[in-house]
Amino acid sequence: MEATREIYWNVGYGVILPMYLFTAIAVAACAYGFYKRVEVYRQGKELNRLDNLSERIVLLVKNLFGQIRVLRVSGPGVPHALFFWGFVILFIGTLLVMAQADFSQPLFNVVILKGSFYKLYSLLLDLAGFVALLMLFGLSLRRFLVRPEGLKTTRDDYLMHILLTAILLTGFFAEGVRIAATELKNNPELARFSPIGLFVANQFAGLDDQSLKQLHKLWWWVHFFLVMGFIVTIPFSKFRHLFTTPANYLLTDLREKGVIATINLEEEGAEHFGVDKVADLSWKDIFDADACTSCKRCQDRCPAWTTDKPLSPMKVVQQIGEVAFGNSGANLIETVSQDALWSCTTCRSCQEICPANVEHVNKILDMRRNLVLMQGEFPGEEVMVAVNNIEVNGNPFGMAYAGRGDWTAGLDVQVMADGADVDILYFVGCYASFDKRNQEVARSFIKICNAAGVRVGILGKEEKCCGEPLRKLGNEYLYQMTAGENIELIKAYEVKKIVTTCPHCLNTLGRDYRDLGLDVAVEHYTVFIESLINKGALPMEPHQFDYTYHDSCYLGRYKDITREPRNVLHAAGGRITEMKKSGYESFCCGAGGGRILAEEKLGSRINVTRVRMAQETGAPLLISNCPFCLTMFEDGIKTGDCEGELKVRDLAEVVAERIIL
């Protein structure tokens, strides 16, 4: 007997018309629900997220069917992905049934589901349904019994789990009763290719044919209307993320990571800057609230939330959605709260881990812009002082311009204003220029360059703060003013390449300044030193040492530079013990987002939390690559009672000590 089955066994072909009618109604209701949501998205400003469509489609396919972003985290990531793949296989199976029963067989007398293919089809669908059911059971246990801290359970969650479980179970019940009435009696060999259905069939094997047919019709229609209910509820429940999350893969920001819109401060008629109302957002910012799955991965990795501050990236996105769909005239800043907005270190950990590709950081920065540019608000008096110092003296310490190059005494370094002929311009930054601890890093970098025969120039007293802390705090006006002056100088000296020891300067000069007219190659010193080592240009004798390494947020997550610093330290003789949070999972030092200028008044200290992670490795040395991180760790070691057990050094200092003179 050929392996196949009658598609509409027991229910008859008469169900086709009402089945398609109800399906059309359900799909129409679903479409209407999304139409109403699109009307809310349109409250936001226009934004083109369909450029480079082919690249976007590739990202959609990779992330949707590969579940790449979902699988980035262990724990719930794997069962979510397995559940998704199981459901996809079931959906494909349903399409094949439809293709045969409603098109190929009645129109062309072509049977697709037969023979070996049907056996494989039956086996795959049974296993896919079982895996989906098993994963759903595990996820239900996690949400409703284990209840991880911070995972909020709503009515939608109960609806989703109950409805999906019912759909899977009724599907197996309908299949099992059919097998009990047909294959179990007439073709038991074929029934083995439906192992779950066979198990269910055995439970009903004692019933007579009439009872089995009645049960089959019952389960068939119940299953069908549950599926219709599922389709209808999609836009009106958390089920909507089945569409909005994949759509967010298509709508991803293809620009370089960390790009912030540069405001045209001289635009005629511009009277409002930043965001304090839903209408100030882009439509994509509102759409993100619908794409969010409330998985709390962003919240779990947020250094502010982890250290008991009032910021949850997940909550910020959800609050935007609540205002957009509930009271679009409400003040977003008051809804989110200033304390939450100022707590952000812009570390990007939330965006890096988000399975739905939600963009958290720029929403916060846009609200900060409104606070500063429209309301004159800052996170504290100390920040206002630092900002005024940058405006007057070009640095947050209030030190005189003339002293910016004093750290170079005794070093072979040229000042650009003196007609320097150099290979690179070293953009020193404020901390390496004025902070004594970070001046040692700058001196070490110059020694490395000298040893490699690299001619180095600096702007000296002409250099100003790159403006990054200002911009991240929302002061776009002062940022553009200081950036413009730096850009004018760099262009005037016809600089071909810039190297900096500060990841914040790296991002700002190499990415943000492009919007203001600077197009010069900018490189971080860790990458530059690695290239010197690889070329054999750096005479260095390695000495063994044990260390742990901190990936600064603005080098790792923003610039994808994680391998190069480790290569340099390995060449210097280092043996690394990684912290539990490293690479793209690295935990922030607490200084980003302009927080280097602000006192940490809420919750516990982020830098102490990170220093203790380093201490747990047992390594005696913590190595950083950023002046902000170095400053925060020096303080964290003292306030965290780690003195004597842990010492922090910069990568340049370690390399400079191993140079052969």
Side-chain angles (χ1 to χ4, degrees):
M1 183 179 293
E2 186 175 38
T4 189
R5 70 176 171 89
E6 183 184 345
I7 299 298
Y8 290 114
W9 176 83
N10 192 44
V11 294
Y13 281 84
V15 302
I16 293 177
L17 185 60
M19 183 178 69
Y20 276 103
L21 177 61
F22 283 121
T23 301
I25 293 171
V27 170
C30 179
Y32 176 75
F34 275 115
Y35 169 76
K36 297 301 289 183
R37 301 196 81 79
V38 168
E39 286 186 334
V40 176
Y41 306 153
R42 285 176 175 166
Q43 295 177 90
K45 296 178 179 178
E46 289 185 7
L47 180 68
N48 182 15
R49 282 296 176 86
L50 291 177
D51 57 320
N52 301 312
L53 193 56
S54 59
E55 182 181 354
R56 294 181 179 279
I57 291 172
V58 169
L59 286 172
L60 167 63
V61 172
K62 284 172 59 178
N63 282 290
L64 176 59
F65 295 108
Q67 292 287 283
I68 294 170
R69 297 189 68 90
V70 173
L71 286 168
R72 281 185 177 180
V73 181
S74 57
V78 173
H80 269 107
L82 288 172
F83 175 80
F84 170 80
W85 288 324
F87 236 78
V88 167
I89 292 172
L90 291 172
F91 180 67
I92 293 172
T94 303
L95 292 180
L96 287 174
V97 167
M98 182 182 72
Q100 174 178 304
D102 305 334
F103 297 98
S104 72
Q105 191 170 7
L107 296 178
F108 308 105
N109 197 31
V110 174
V111 177
I112 303 170
L113 302 175
K114 64 179 181 178
S116 297
F117 180 73
Y118 176 70
K119 291 178 180 178
L120 179 63
Y121 167 88
S122 296
L123 181 61
L124 281 178
L125 259 66
D126 251 40
L127 293 178
F130 179 70
V131 168
L133 190 60
L134 191 62
M135 295 304 104
L136 187 59
F137 178 70
L139 291 168
S140 298
L141 286 178
R142 176 178 179 267
R143 177 170 289 277
F144 302 119
L145 293 181
V146 177
R147 293 180 177 269
E149 184 180 356
L151 187 64
K152 186 179 179 182
T153 298
T154 65
R155 182 181 61 182
D156 276 6
D157 296 301
Y158 287 100
L159 170 67
M160 290 173 67
H161 284 260
I162 291 171
L163 186 52
L164 289 173
T165 301
I167 288 172
L168 289 168
L169 286 177
T170 54
F172 278 127
F173 288 161
E175 179 193 37
V177 174
R178 176 188 60 78
I179 291 175
T182 57
E183 294 170 17
L184 204 60
K185 298 176 180 179
N186 303 323
N187 196 354
E189 181 63 29
L190 181 60
R192 294 176 184 176
F193 288 92
S194 303
I196 312 303
L198 178 59
F199 173 80
V200 176
N202 285 327
Q203 314 311 308
F204 295 97
L207 297 179
D208 59 72
D209 285 350
Q210 187 61 30
S211 297
L212 288 173
K213 288 182 177 181
Q214 288 176 349
L215 270 178
H216 176 263
K217 278 188 177 179
L218 172 66
W219 290 125
W220 195 93
W221 282 110
V222 169
H223 178 75
F224 173 77
F225 281 113
L226 285 172
V227 172
M228 294 303 101
F230 164 74
I231 294 172
V232 169
T233 58
I234 288 173
F236 305 102
S237 68
K238 285 173 67 175
F239 276 133
R240 73 180 71 94
H241 79 257
L242 295 171
F243 288 92
T244 54
T245 297
N248 236 14
Y249 300 146
L250 185 73
L251 302 171
T252 190
D253 190 347
L254 297 179
R255 300 174 299 175
E256 187 176 351
K257 287 194 289 188
V259 168
I260 310 168
T262 299
I263 300 175
N264 182 359
L265 298 167
E266 297 179 358
E267 183 180 1
E268 186 176 348
E271 298 178 350
H272 187 86
F273 301 108
V275 167
D276 66 347
K277 297 286 193 303
V278 166
D280 299 326
L281 295 164
S282 73
W283 65 264
K284 174 63 166 57
D285 290 319
I286 304 171
F287 182 83
D288 274 349
D290 265 1
C292 174
T293 63
S294 303
C295 69
K296 80 179 185 73
R297 291 186 186 183
C298 60
Q299 180 177 284
D300 287 343
R301 281 154 188 78
C302 176
W305 178 266
T306 303
T307 54
D308 302 317
K309 295 172 180 60
L311 171 65
S312 162
M314 177 181 71
K315 190 175 180 182
V316 171
V317 172
Q318 291 173 343
Q319 287 171 323
I320 288 173
E322 289 165 5
V323 170
F325 286 93
N327 181 14
S328 59
N331 188 290
L332 279 175
I333 293 175
E334 291 178 2
T335 301
V336 175
S337 86
Q338 288 195 32
D339 281 343
L341 294 173
W342 292 128
S343 293
C344 180
T345 67
T346 66
C347 72
R348 198 182 164 84
S349 185
C350 50
Q351 285 186 219
E352 196 69 34
I353 200 62
C354 178
N357 218 25
V358 170
E359 299 160 21
H360 310 75
V361 177
N362 282 4
K363 295 173 176 55
I364 292 172
L365 295 180
D366 280 337
M367 284 186 265
R368 284 184 175 184
R369 281 175 166 177
N370 186 271
L371 281 169
V372 173
L373 298 177
M374 302 304 298
Q375 303 177 42
E377 296 283 351
F378 289 91
E381 290 292 329
E382 74 283 2
V383 175
M384 293 183 66
V385 171
V387 169
N388 288 334
N389 285 336
I390 293 174
E391 185 172 9
V392 176
N393 298 103
N395 66 83
F397 309 107
M399 306 294 284
Y401 282 102
R404 197 169 185 109
D406 290 351
W407 61 273
T408 63
L411 296 174
D412 182 9
V413 60
Q414 303 177 55
V415 178
M416 300 302 289
D418 296 336
D421 181 17
V422 299
D423 299 311
I424 63 168
L425 170 68
Y426 174 32
F427 194 91
V428 186
C430 298
Y431 272 75
S433 294
F434 294 108
D435 175 67
K436 288 186 178 180
R437 180 65 187 87
N438 277 286
Q439 284 176 347
E440 292 302 313
V441 178
R443 294 177 66 84
S444 294
F445 176 64
I446 296 301
K447 290 175 183 176
I448 292 168
C449 291
N450 292 163
V454 177
R455 296 170 298 173
V456 184
I458 62 170
L459 294 173
K461 65 182 180 181
E462 292 183 299
E463 181 183 291
K464 285 190 170 185
C465 174
C466 71
E468 192 268 350
L470 296 169
R471 195 175 205 205
K472 296 299 164 58
L473 286 167
N475 197 334
E476 182 76 6
Y477 174 79
L478 188 52
Y479 155 72
Q480 289 194 24
M481 186 174 76
T482 57
E485 293 174 2
N486 282 328
I487 291 170
E488 186 178 342
L489 272 173
I490 294 168
K491 282 184 172 181
Y493 291 126
E494 299 182 345
V495 171
K496 298 296 186 293
K497 183 174 185 177
I498 300 172
V499 178
T500 178
T501 48
C502 176
H504 298 266
C505 294
L506 171 71
N507 279 268
T508 305
L509 273 68
R511 182 193 61 227
D512 299 345
Y513 277 19
R514 283 204 295 266
D515 280 355
L516 301 176
L518 182 68
D519 187 16
V520 176
V522 184
E523 196 166 72
H524 191 254
Y525 78 114
T526 57
V527 177
F528 184 69
I529 292 173
E530 187 200 31
S531 69
L532 294 178
I533 293 172
N534 291 340
K535 290 186 294 187
L538 189 61
M540 183 174 64
E541 182 178 350
H543 297 295
Q544 186 174 299
F545 65 101
D546 295 308
Y547 73 100
T548 190
Y549 174 74
H550 170 73
D551 292 276
S552 67
C553 305
Y554 274 74
L555 196 64
R557 276 187 290 271
Y558 275 81
K559 302 299 289 186
D560 299 312
I561 298 174
T562 59
R563 173 182 51 83
E564 295 88 340
R566 288 172 171 81
N567 290 345
V568 171
L569 292 167
H570 177 73
R575 297 190 307 184
I576 191 169
T577 303
E578 296 283 10
M579 286 182 266
K580 62 182 180 181
K581 291 181 179 291
S582 61
Y584 292 105
E585 291 280 320
S586 184
F587 192 83
C588 184
C589 74
R595 294 294 314 174
I596 187 69
L597 306 181
E599 293 179 12
E600 196 169 357
K601 301 170 185 176
L602 301 174
S604 57
R605 297 183 66 82
I606 295 173
N607 59 344
V608 172
T609 301
R610 184 54 168 169
V611 162
R612 286 177 178 159
M613 291 180 190
Q615 186 183 28
E616 287 172 5
T617 67
L621 193 62
L622 168 60
I623 296 181
S624 69
N625 56 50
C626 169
F628 291 4
C629 296
L630 182 62
T631 300
M632 297 301 285
F633 293 151
E634 289 278 4
D635 176 72
I637 287 172
K638 294 174 184 176
T639 56
D641 297 325
C642 297
E643 290 181 289
E645 296 182 38
L646 188 66
K647 186 176 182 180
V648 61
R649 304 203 72 194
D650 187 90
L651 178 144
E653 295 176 299
V654 174
V655 173
E657 288 175 351
R658 287 156 175 77
I659 290 174
I660 302 172
L661 300 176

